[in-house]
Amino acid sequence: APSGAAEGTAMVEVVSGGITWTHFFLYTPAPAPTLELFPPSGASTGGTLVTLQIKLLPVSVKSNLTVTIGSTAVAFASDLTSTTSTTGVVTMYVDIQMPSNSPGLVDVKLSHTGLGRTATAKFEYLDASAPAIVIGPQPTAGDVLKASGVTVYIARFP
């Protein structure tokens, strides 16, 4: 089946030796991209450097990405990096610096111009007067046969 075809059912006919076989092929939508934030929370005073981990975007989609926090567009604080993909799907990473905001949850949205898909994650703004807390390790699991790094995120506030 050709890539880029519209979602839905397509008829496939094969004619051989005067006999016609008719079958149907179902084009399914591509999975929606996912977005994770590391760390997932920070001070309401702003300034937290957050790494966005974006999965399930096609390799060709490395430009025209925008990030909004609530309704505010933010610039990338680092270059977009990615893992190597042989399947046409890539995991990308980029840093953003969180602006100040009232304490509470806010949507962080990653959109692509022209792709028509948006990935959303929640970021929790914490009261700046709250004590320091350990947010947790990332990743939270790993292979026992492989050495891997673990980052422990600590939210420290004045």
Side-chain angles (χ1 to χ4, degrees):
S3 65
E7 296 172 20
T9 304
M11 186 171 65
V12 179
E13 280 189 351
V14 177
V15 179
S16 176
I19 300 172
T20 301
W21 289 277
T22 303
H23 295 278
F24 294 92
F25 184 85
L26 177 64
Y27 288 99
T28 58
T34 62
L35 177 64
E36 291 187 62
L37 309 177
F38 302 104
S41 60
S44 60
T45 54
T48 302
L49 190 63
V50 174
T51 299
L52 280 61
Q53 179 182 16
I54 309 131
K55 291 183 181 178
L56 297 177
L57 282 178
V59 171
S60 61
V61 181
K62 286 191 176 183
S63 60
N64 299 322
L65 294 171
T66 58
V67 175
T68 55
I69 299 168
S71 60
T72 304
V74 295
F76 294 150
S78 68
D79 290 333
L80 189 67
T81 59
S82 63
T83 59
T84 303
S85 173
T86 59
T87 61
V89 176
V90 66
T91 300
M92 293 183 275
Y93 303 89
V94 68
D95 295 328
I96 60 170
Q97 189 165 17
M98 299 302 287
S100 61
N101 199 20
S102 301
L105 288 174
V106 66
D107 284 337
V108 176
K109 292 183 181 179
L110 176 94
S111 303
H112 180 270
T113 306
L115 188 62
R117 298 192 183 266
T118 300
T120 304
K122 298 281 187 190
F123 182 83
E124 184 176 14
Y125 280 100
L126 303 172
D127 185 344
S129 63
I133 58 169
V134 175
I135 296 171
Q138 294 296 335
T140 58
D143 188 330
V144 296
L145 299 177
K146 294 181 183 176
S148 60
V150 173
T151 302
V152 176
Y153 292 100
I154 302 172
R156 294 197 65 95
F157 306 116

